[in-house]
Amino acid sequence: MSDPLPPIRPDSDPLAERARIIRERNRMLALVLVGFVVLFFAITLVKVKF
């Protein structure tokens, strides 16, 4: 039977891992916000055009 948990790497730093996760979350949040800006800009253009 295999061990369900992956082996812990001795060189892994929990603070560095947390910082990486926070950076990825911030990038995703930035992409969502940019998407909303583009969406509202497109809606505004369509409303002004018609």
Side-chain angles (χ1 to χ4, degrees):
M1 187 168 190
S2 65
D3 188 18
L5 297 174
I8 298 174
R9 296 180 309 208
D11 60 346
S12 65
D13 182 17
L15 291 178
E17 181 71 16
R18 180 165 167 75
R20 183 188 63 81
I21 291 170
I22 290 171
R23 273 195 309 272
E24 289 178 6
R25 186 184 306 151
N26 287 343
R27 286 182 186 141
M28 290 300 113
L29 182 60
L31 285 175
V32 168
L33 291 176
V34 167
F36 277 130
V37 167
V38 170
L39 177 67
F40 285 123
F41 183 69
I43 290 172
T44 303
L45 285 179
V46 168
K47 280 187 174 185
V48 168
K49 190 175 181 180
F50 292 110

